[in-house]
Amino acid sequence: MILAIDQGTTSTRAIAFEVSPQGQMNAVAVSQMELAQHYPQSAWVEHDAAEIWRATLQTCREVVRRAGGVHRFAAVGITNQRETSVIWDAASGEPLHRAIVWQDRRTAEATTRLAEQGHEPEVQTATGLILDPYFSASKYAWLLDQVPEGRARAERGEIRLGTVDSWLIWKLTGGRQHVTDVCNAARTSLMDLKTRRWSPALAALFGVPMSALPQIRGCADHLGDCDESLLGQALPIRGSAGDQQAALVGHGALKPGDAKITYGTGAFLVANVGQSPVASTSRLLGTMAYEAKGEAAYALEGSIFSAGSAIQWLRDGLKILAESRASEAMAQSLSDNGGVYLVPGFTGLGAPWWEPDARGAIIGLTRDTGPAHLVRAALESLAYQTCDLLDALSCDGAPKLKRLKIDGGVTANSLAMQFVADVCEVEVERPAFQEMTALGAARLAAYGVGLTDQLWAAPAEAPAIWRPRMRAAERDRLRQGWAAAVRGTLAAAQ
C-alpha cells in the first residue's frame, strides 16, 4: 500500500491506496479533517501550520489503523496546496507566524513595485511566472519582515522557509530533511525553470536568503524517511507534487497536448507541453508538470482564484444555500441566467487578467432577479473562466483541445459540467474516482519505490463524459455578456 497525504486549502486528508500487480490503485481507507481559515484583514488569508501538522499526523495514524497496520505500507506520497508559505524555527520546529495562503493578496504592493521597476520580464523569463502576490517569494519576504532579525537569523541557518510540502516533510522526518519537490519549487518565483535550481539573482531580488530554502528534488525521489515514532515504522517518502501537478499525473495526462482542470476552491488548468518549457504570450504560467526518475515534463497553467469558493460564499455569506450540493437543483429551476453574470473576483482575478485589485461583481440585476439567478451565475462563471483559459492556451500555440479531463468537488454538479462542455465546445471527462490529487501523489510514490514500473495505469471504471450541444449563436451571446461583465470589473479596479 501507499499512504497518500493530501493537504488542501480547506482540509487535510490521508488515503491508503492498494496497488494491484497491473499498477491500478484502489483507495481502501480515508480520514479527513477540516482546516480553519483565518482572515485577519481584507484579502488576507492565513492557516495555522501547527494545525496542519496535527491534522496530518492524526489522519495518517487513523488511515494506517483502518488499513491494517503500518507493516502493509511501502511508502508515503504527499500532495499539497501550492504557494502557501510557512516560516519556522530550525531548532524547535515551531512556526514563527501563521502560514500565508496562496489566495492571500497582502504583498500586492511589493510585487507591483517590482513590476513598475521593470523586473517582470526577468522574472517571467527565468521562472515562467508573472509578478503577482499569488506566488511564494513575496510571501517569504513578508514573513521574514515579521520576525525580529529574520534575515540575519535565516542567513545563520536558524530559520526555515518552505511551502506546505517542505513543512510536512520536515515534521515527518523529525527535522532531518529540508527539501521540496521541483513542482512546488516552480511556484515560488525563485526557481529557474530551465535549470530547475534556485536562482541567486531572484532570491536577491525578493530579499529571501537562499540558506533558508529547501533542497529541490524530483517528484519520485527519496525525500526522507518518516520518524519511526510517528507511525511505528520509518516509511520512505517517495512521492511529492503540488496539488495541480499531482492531479495531472492522477489523470494520466502525461503526453504533450493533454490537459486537466481541477475545480476546487479555485480552478486550475494545467496543459502538458512536453520536455521543454514554453513561454506564454497570453499571461498563462510556465511551470513544471512533473519530474520522475530523470524524466521531466513542463506545462502551461491558468489559475482561477475563485471557483468552488463562489458557491461557498453563496452558502456561508449570503445564506442562499443550505448546502453546496443544493446549487444544481436551484440553478435548474431557471431556463437561463436571466442576463445575470457573477465575476468572482473575491481575491482578485487570476489568468489571463492578473488583476490583484479586482473584486467580485454581479452584473445584469433586475427586479426579477432572485437567489436562483445568483446561484446559476456562480456556476456558469466556472465555464466562462475556463473558456478564457482555453482561449489563452490556443493563443500560445497549443492545438485545439478535444477533451478536457476534470476533477474536484464542483464536478459533481452535472449542470455546471454540461455548461463547461457547451461554452468551451469541448468534451469533458470526469473519472469515476475523483481524488486525483491524492491519486497522483500515490502514483508518484508507488513509481518511486518500485511498486509499479509505470507512472499511470488506466482505471477499471469508465469515466463520465459530457459533450457540447449548445448552438454557436447562443454560445457567442453568452460569452459576449461575460466579456462585458469582466470589462466592468476590471474598470472598477483601476
Side-chain angles (χ1 to χ4, degrees), residues 1 54 111 118 133 144 171 246 256 315 322 358 386 403 409 429 434 456 469 476:
M1 288 189 183
R54 289 193 299 270
T111 54
L144 286 167
K171 298 298 282 187
R315 182 194 66 195
T386 301
R403 179 167 289 189
E429 176 187 304
Q434 278 286 287
W456 189 76
R469 60 192 187 196
D476 292 344

Side-chain angles (χ1 to χ4, degrees), residues 214-283:
Q215 295 179 1
I216 300 175
R217 304 277 182 86
C219 300
D221 285 0
H222 184 196
L223 301 166
D225 295 314
C226 295
D227 191 283
E228 187 175 356
S229 66
L230 298 175
L231 300 174
Q233 187 174 315
L235 294 177
I237 304 169
R238 289 304 303 254
S240 179
D243 50 11
Q244 304 313 316
Q245 282 81 5
L248 192 78
V249 172
H251 278 289
L254 305 180
K255 300 188 301 295
D258 289 347
K260 72 88 202 175
I261 189 165
T262 297
Y263 293 110
T265 304
F268 302 89
L269 174 74
V270 183
N272 189 324
V273 297
Q275 296 180 345
S276 300
V278 171
S280 174
T281 60
S282 304
R283 307 280 282 174

Side-chain angles (χ1 to χ4, degrees), residues 309-332:
S309 59
I311 304 301
Q312 292 168 351
W313 172 68
L314 294 174
R315 182 194 66 195
D316 302 334
L318 296 190
K319 311 294 185 185
I320 288 175
L321 295 167
E323 51 187 1
S324 295
R325 62 183 178 182
S327 61
E328 182 170 7
M330 186 175 286
Q332 281 180 327

Side-chain angles (χ1 to χ4, degrees), residues 5-345:
I5 297 168
D6 182 0
Q7 203 298 299
T9 308
T10 58
S11 70
T12 302
R13 281 177 293 187
I15 304 179
F17 287 95
E18 194 169 51
V19 186
S20 77
Q22 295 76 32
Q24 294 172 333
M25 310 195 76
N26 180 41
V28 297
V30 181
S31 179
Q32 179 170 337
M33 293 182 67
E34 295 299 310
L35 177 61
Q37 312 293 308
H38 303 276
Y39 307 101
Q41 295 186 33
S42 175
W44 289 29
V45 191
E46 296 178 349
H47 287 161
D48 181 348
E51 179 192 2
I52 288 174
W53 165 239
R54 289 193 299 270
T56 299
L57 185 57
Q58 183 172 331
T59 54
C60 284
R61 285 173 168 169
E62 179 63 18
V63 160
V64 165
R65 183 188 65 79
R66 292 178 184 176
V70 71
H71 66 280
R72 302 194 64 194
F73 289 85
V76 175
I78 298 172
T79 184
N80 58 283
Q81 51 169 318
R82 304 171 306 168
E83 297 95 19
T84 295
S85 302
V86 187
I87 185 170
W88 66 95
D89 186 283
S92 69
E94 293 302 311
L96 296 171
H97 193 279
R98 280 182 184 158
I100 304 179
V101 178
W102 58 271
Q103 300 161 305
D104 189 282
R105 312 303 287 171
R106 76 185 64 186
T107 60
E109 183 178 335
T111 54
T112 298
R113 183 169 59 251
L114 289 174
E116 289 173 345
Q117 293 170 353
H119 291 293
E120 185 162 85
E122 168 193 355
V123 173
Q124 191 166 22
T125 299
T127 68
L129 310 176
I130 66 165
L131 277 169
D132 191 86
Y134 177 28
F135 306 108
S136 306
S138 62
K139 294 177 167 67
Y140 289 159
W142 190 95
L143 286 167
L144 286 167
D145 288 339
Q146 310 312 304
V147 178
E149 299 183 6
R151 281 176 181 76
R153 291 187 61 197
E155 293 281 8
R156 294 196 298 267
E158 298 173 7
I159 284 177
R160 297 287 184 261
L161 293 167
T163 42
V164 172
D165 62 312
S166 297
W167 166 244
L168 292 180
I169 292 170
W170 174 275
K171 298 298 282 187
L172 285 166
T173 62
R176 288 186 292 273
Q177 294 293 331
H178 187 37
V179 300
T180 187
D181 69 82
V182 68
C183 293
N184 275 292
R187 311 299 296 183
T188 61
S189 296
L190 297 172
M191 189 192 85
D192 187 296
L193 202 55
K194 295 183 180 67
T195 65
R196 303 196 287 277
R197 296 291 180 264
W198 298 125
S199 164
L202 292 175
L205 177 67
F206 285 97
V208 177
M210 291 183 64
S211 53
L213 297 174
Q215 295 179 1
I216 300 175
R217 304 277 182 86
C219 300
D221 285 0
H222 184 196
L223 301 166
D225 295 314
C226 295
D227 191 283
E228 187 175 356
S229 66
L230 298 175
L231 300 174
Q233 187 174 315
L235 294 177
I237 304 169
R238 289 304 303 254
S240 179
D243 50 11
Q244 304 313 316
Q245 282 81 5
L248 192 78
V249 172
H251 278 289
L254 305 180
K255 300 188 301 295
D258 289 347
K260 72 88 202 175
I261 189 165
T262 297
Y263 293 110
T265 304
F268 302 89
L269 174 74
V270 183
N272 189 324
V273 297
Q275 296 180 345
S276 300
V278 171
S280 174
T281 60
S282 304
R283 307 280 282 174
L284 296 180
L285 306 174
T287 192
M288 294 300 303
Y290 59 88
E291 181 185 338
K293 295 187 177 179
E295 179 183 349
Y298 291 86
L300 283 174
E301 177 174 329
S303 305
I304 296 169
F305 293 157
S306 295
S309 59
I311 304 301
Q312 292 168 351
W313 172 68
L314 294 174
R315 182 194 66 195
D316 302 334
L318 296 190
K319 311 294 185 185
I320 288 175
L321 295 167
E323 51 187 1
S324 295
R325 62 183 178 182
S327 61
E328 182 170 7
M330 186 175 286
Q332 281 180 327
S333 69
L334 303 173
S335 59
D336 57 37
N337 65 11
V340 177
Y341 293 86
L342 188 155
V343 182

